[in-house]
Each structure stands twice: as C-alpha cells, then as structure tokens.
Amino acid sequence: MNSTIWLALALVLVLEGLGPMLYPKSWRKMILTLANLPDHILRRFGGGLVVAGFVIYYMLRGRLGG
C-alpha cells in the first residue's frame, strides 16, 4: 500500500485510541448511547462520516498532488 494510506491509518488509530485512553468512563457511556440508537440514525451518522472523509480526501488530494 501507499505510505500515505499507512500514515492515514496510523493517525486514525491514534485519534480513535485517545478517547478510551484518556476518558474511559465517558467513552463507554458514548458507546452505550450509540448502541441504543436506531439503525437509520446510525446509517445517517456513518454516511455523514464517509461523505466528510471523501470531501477532505478530495480537498487534500489536490493540494498534495495525489
């Protein structure tokens, strides 16, 4: 894989790990709240994250010459 993809994956892992490492009780509460949401809300939330990720990728791709 491209080294940029590995770098992006590493950054995601660092950011995802900060929540449970620094605020385990709040993180657990948030996960339990998300687990109780209806499927259509989770799909909208996930879709929004995917769209935001593609937009950021598209914007950075032009700047970084990808």
Side-chain angles (χ1 to χ4, degrees), residues 30-51:
M30 180 193 68
I31 296 300
L32 289 173
T33 302
L34 284 173
N36 292 324
L37 288 176
D39 287 347
H40 71 279
I41 299 294
L42 287 175
R43 283 190 182 103
R44 285 184 183 180
F45 183 71
L49 291 174
V50 169
V51 169

Side-chain angles (χ1 to χ4, degrees), residues 13-24:
L13 292 174
V14 168
L15 292 175
E16 288 290 329
L18 285 175
M21 184 181 77
L22 298 176
Y23 308 104

